[in-house]
Amino acid sequence: MSFKSKKYSIDSTDYQVGQDNITKWGMDVHNTVFTASAGLSILFIVALLILSPADAKAAIDSVKVAALSKFDFVFMWGANILLLLAIGIAFSPLGKIRLGGDNATTDYSTLSWISMLFAAGMGIGLIFWGVAEPTAFFTNWFGTPLNVEPFTQEGRELALGAAVFHWGFHAWAIYGMTALSLAYFVYNKGLPLSMRSVFYPLLGDRVWGKIGDVIDVMAVLVILFGLATSLGLGGSQAASGISHVFGLENSLSLQLLIILVIMGLAIVSVVRGMDGGVKLLSNLNMIIAFLFLGFLAILNFTTTLDSLSTAVVGYVKNIIPLSQSSGREDTAWLHGWTVFYWAWWVAYAPFFGMFVARISKGRTIREFLACVLVIPTLVTTAWMSFFGGIAIQQIIDKVGLLGSEQGISDVSLSLFYMLDAYPVGNLLSIIAVALIIVFFVTTLDSGSIVVDSMTAGGKLELPIRQKVVWAVISATIAMVMLWIGGTDSIQALQSITIIAALPFTIILILGSLSLVRGLLTEVEQSKVSSKKPA
C-alpha cells in the first residue's frame, strides 16, 4: 500500500492484518479476542442463571450509581473535551485530509451515508425518548434540569433545550471522534479495523499483544451488551405498542417473538450485504421517519414551530451550565440523566465508530465532522422539539392520556399515548411500531458487522456466516436476559455497560489524542515535500 506518510502505518510495523487469526469451521477469527469475548459472554449468562436477577440488579446498580456520582466529572469533561477536539480539528488545516488518501473516492452517496450513520447512531432512541424525555423534564418525573420549576414556561424551555442537549453536539462528538480515529488509521495508515489500532501512535507494537487484546475484548463486550440491552428494551417497547394498538397481552412470549423476528430480518439483511441490507433499510428508515415527523408537524404546525424555536433558545441559553459538573444543585437530575447519557454514548461509541469508519472512505475530515456533528443534531433537534413540544402541549391543555395523567405513567407507552389523541392515532401507532422494528433490524445488522470485524483481527472481508453468528448471539443474550428476569435482567446488563463506560471514556480521549498525533504526520510530510528542490 502507498501512504502519504509511513509513520504509524502498517509499513512501519512487522504486524500483518489477520496474522493471529485461526481458520476453523469455515470461520476466520482472532484466536484470543474471539475466544475471550465468546467465553466471557457465556460466563456472564451462566452467572445470571445462578444468581437472582433482582439481587444481581441491586448489586450492579449500586456500583453504577457510585460510578455516575463519584466520577461524574470524568463523563462530563470527557464529552466536553471530545466536542472541543472535534471542532478544533474540523476548522484546522487537518480538516483537509481525506480518509483513504488524496485520490480516494466515496463508496456511498452522502444521503445514504448519513442515513446509515444516523440509523446506527441513535434512530431507535429517538422513538423511545422523543416524547418521554421532554415530558419527564417538564413534569418533574425524575427531577428537572437546573432545578427549574416544572409546569412553567421556563420549565418548558429548559425541558426541550435539555433534551436537545442530550442528543445534540456532545453526543455526536463522542461518536464522531471515535469513528474518525478508526477511519483514519484504517484508510490512511492501513491498520486493522479494531480499537487497538487507534493506540498505535501511543503504544507502538505493544498494541498487537496483550494490551491490544484487552482493548478489543472490552470493546466487543461493551458492544455486545449494548446491543442486547437495546434489543431487550426495544422488544419490550414494541410489545407495549402492539399490545396497546391491537389489545394483545404484553407477555414475555410476545417480547421474545418480536426479538426473534428482528433477528430473522437482520440475518436476511446480513446475507444481502451492505448495499442490499443496511443501506437499503437505513434509507427506508429515514423516509418513514421524515414522513412521520412531517405529518405530525402539519397536524400541529403552530405548536411544532413554536416548540422548535423554544428548544433552540433553551439549548443555546443553557448549554454552558448544562455542561458543568460542579456547583450544580440538580445533582439527582444530573446523574440520572446527563451523566447517564454521556456514559451510554461512550459505551455505544465503539459500535458506532467501527460501523461508520467502515462506510466513510473518501470523505475529507472536515466534511466527515461537519456531517456527523451538524446534520444529526439538526434532525434530533427537530424530532425532540416536535414530539416533545406536542406532548407538553397536550399536558398543558389536558388532552388525551398524557393530559389526564399530567405526565408519564408508562415510559414505553408515552409515544403511543401521545398519538392516541389523534383520530388516526392507531394508524400512526402502527407506523411507529414498524419504525421501531426496522430501526432495530439495522442496529443488529450493523452491530453484527462490527463485532465480526473486531473478533477477526480487524479484517474487512470475512465469511457471511460469522456475521450471522454474532447476530444470533446478540439476540440470544437479549432473549435469555428477558426469560431469566424480564426487564430487571436487561437493566442489570445496561448498568454493566454503563460501568464499563467509565474506563472507556479515558480510552476515547487517549484515542483522540493519538489521532491528532497521527494526523500531524501528514502535515509534517507536506512540509518536508514542499522544501524539496524543484
Side-chain angles (χ1 to χ4, degrees), residues 163-183:
V164 172
F165 172 68
H166 288 156
W167 297 78
F169 288 117
H170 281 81
W172 289 97
I174 293 169
Y175 279 175
M177 287 302 293
T178 307
L180 178 59
S181 299
L182 285 159

Side-chain angles (χ1 to χ4, degrees), residues 244-432:
H244 182 72
V245 175
F246 297 105
L248 300 174
E249 180 187 358
N250 186 2
S251 63
L252 175 62
S253 298
L254 179 60
Q255 294 172 16
L256 295 178
L257 178 62
I258 289 170
I259 294 175
L260 276 173
V261 169
I262 292 171
M263 183 185 74
L265 293 173
I267 290 172
V268 172
S269 179
V270 165
V271 172
R272 286 176 58 87
M274 190 74 80
D275 286 344
V278 173
K279 175 185 170 182
L280 178 65
L281 289 174
S282 297
N283 289 337
L284 178 62
N285 276 337
M286 294 306 290
I287 291 170
I288 297 173
F290 275 107
L291 288 175
F292 195 33
L293 189 68
F295 183 67
L296 284 175
I298 292 170
L299 287 178
N300 306 269
F301 184 74
T302 303
T303 298
T304 52
L305 189 63
D306 178 65
S307 297
L308 181 60
S309 62
T310 301
V312 172
V313 170
Y315 178 47
V316 174
K317 280 173 58 178
N318 297 286
I319 185 172
I320 293 178
L322 287 172
S323 300
Q324 302 296 315
S325 59
S326 59
R328 298 281 290 265
E329 296 181 358
D330 58 337
T331 52
W333 183 89
L334 172 68
H335 297 150
W337 289 100
T338 303
V339 180
F340 177 87
Y341 265 126
W342 283 188
W344 187 248
W345 300 146
V346 167
Y348 240 71
F351 158 51
F352 176 87
M354 293 278 291
F355 178 71
V356 173
R358 189 180 178 116
I359 62 175
S360 297
K361 184 179 180 182
R363 312 275 170 189
T364 66
I365 287 176
R366 185 167 296 136
E367 176 193 6
F368 177 93
L369 288 173
C371 288
V372 170
L373 288 177
V374 177
I375 295 177
T377 296
L378 292 176
V379 175
T380 54
T381 298
W383 193 279
M384 281 294 179
S385 58
F386 285 15
F387 280 83
I390 293 168
I392 289 173
Q393 196 60 47
Q394 288 184 2
I395 292 169
I396 293 171
D397 296 337
K398 294 182 170 56
V399 172
L401 286 168
L402 290 178
S404 63
E405 296 284 343
Q406 284 295 283
I408 303 171
S409 56
D410 185 333
V411 173
S412 65
L413 285 173
S414 56
L415 169 63
F416 301 103
Y417 286 165
M418 187 268 281
L419 296 175
D420 277 348
Y422 297 96
V424 290
N426 276 350
L427 176 61
L428 292 174
S429 293
I430 291 170
I431 294 172

Side-chain angles (χ1 to χ4, degrees), residues 99-179:
L99 297 174
D102 294 339
N103 299 319
T105 57
T106 59
D107 295 325
Y108 304 97
S109 69
T110 300
L111 184 60
S112 292
W113 177 65
I114 291 171
S115 296
M116 284 190 283
L117 72 86
F118 188 81
M122 55 182 65
I124 189 61
L126 290 176
I127 304 294
F128 193 93
W129 288 108
V131 168
E133 186 173 338
T135 302
F137 298 165
F138 179 70
T139 61
N140 194 21
W141 183 67
F142 188 77
T144 62
L146 303 178
N147 276 349
V148 68
E149 187 70 23
F151 297 100
T152 63
Q153 179 56 33
E154 185 184 4
R156 175 174 175 265
E157 182 182 280
L158 250 173
L160 292 171
V164 172
F165 172 68
H166 288 156
W167 297 78
F169 288 117
H170 281 81
W172 289 97
I174 293 169
Y175 279 175
M177 287 302 293
T178 307

